[in-house]
Amino acid sequence: MKNTFIKILRILMLLVSLFSGAIGYVIYENTLSEWWIPVGVALMIAAATFPFYKKWSWLTTDDSKILNFLCHLICVGTMSYALFLAGNYWLVDPASTQEEEVVVQKKYVEKHKKTRRVGRRRYVADGVRKEYYMEVTFANGMVKALHVSLSTYNKTRQGATKTLTLQKGFFGLPVITKGL
């Protein structure tokens, strides 16, 4: 019984870590910051809580320092990454709303092959999925690739300006709230 419970907890922690990383990535796409800022904050939180790495032995069922250390780094790091970005995104200051004109430097489409399952171990091609992006330049010189819908992609021309609504997040990182 205890062995089954530990296996369920391991799978649950893996799913929580993967979900936290995915949520953090999705929120990061609408946050204007360098990639290393939220990653650095997450690593600092994980480093500050390193004395508690021995507490992960209930999950790893091992007293190995390296294994518990890595488990702590991955789990606490991904969760703090997601919490930092989510707190910044959801606790924006409505009084700091500003509109900014950005210049569309480049538009591009990423094509990905789709497959479908037709047998136990057999997959066949099932078309192409397209993702639309615009690379924009802000007034401060920052360049960011933004994921946009097909209608926004078709309406916007390269070299044209686009108005984005920005709000300052809880931790001071600007967040794009409208305009995509």
Side-chain angles (χ1 to χ4, degrees):
M1 180 67 178
K2 185 179 178 183
N3 204 12
T4 305
F5 182 68
I6 293 296
K7 287 180 183 178
I8 290 171
L9 284 178
R10 285 179 182 161
I11 292 170
L12 186 62
M13 282 306 294
L14 178 67
L15 291 175
V16 166
S17 294
L18 289 173
F19 183 72
S20 296
I23 289 294
Y25 176 75
V26 168
I27 293 173
Y28 175 75
E29 285 189 342
N30 289 331
T31 304
L32 299 178
S33 77
E34 298 293 331
W35 67 270
W36 55 268
I37 293 173
V39 171
V41 169
L43 288 176
M44 286 187 342
I45 292 170
T49 59
F50 274 151
F52 304 113
Y53 78 93
K54 294 176 186 173
K55 302 288 185 190
W56 290 96
S57 62
W58 65 269
L59 182 67
T60 60
T61 63
D62 194 4
D63 289 332
S64 170
K65 289 182 179 182
I66 294 174
L67 183 63
N68 290 333
F69 180 78
L70 287 174
C71 184
H72 176 81
L73 182 67
I74 292 168
C75 293
V76 173
T78 56
M79 284 186 261
S80 57
Y81 175 77
L83 287 174
F84 174 74
L85 287 172
N88 185 66
Y89 184 78
W90 286 319
L91 300 174
V92 293
D93 181 18
S96 68
T97 302
Q98 66 178 9
E99 291 188 352
E100 186 167 340
E101 294 283 327
V102 296
V103 179
V104 178
Q105 295 294 327
K106 185 168 89 172
K107 294 175 15 172
Y108 60 94
V109 178
E110 286 185 1
K111 296 179 182 178
H112 303 282
K113 292 181 183 177
K114 290 188 338 184
T115 60
R116 64 184 168 91
R117 188 175 180 170
V118 295
R120 185 171 181 176
R121 293 186 192 100
R122 187 157 175 240
Y123 293 86
V124 295
D126 192 30
V128 176
R129 176 178 51 91
K130 296 179 182 179
E131 292 182 0
Y132 302 95
Y133 292 92
M134 291 189 318
E135 193 172 280
V136 297
T137 303
F138 290 86
N140 62 0
M142 182 179 185
V143 177
K144 182 142 177 117
L146 302 173
H147 186 268
V148 295
S149 65
L150 176 61
S151 62
T152 305
Y153 181 83
N154 287 334
K155 289 177 189 174
T156 310
R157 300 287 171 233
Q158 190 168 332
T161 60
K162 184 146 184 69
T163 304
L164 298 178
T165 303
L166 303 175
Q167 290 181 341
K168 188 169 285 272
F170 185 73
F171 297 114
L173 301 176
V175 175
I176 302 170
T177 55
K178 278 193 224 171
L180 297 177

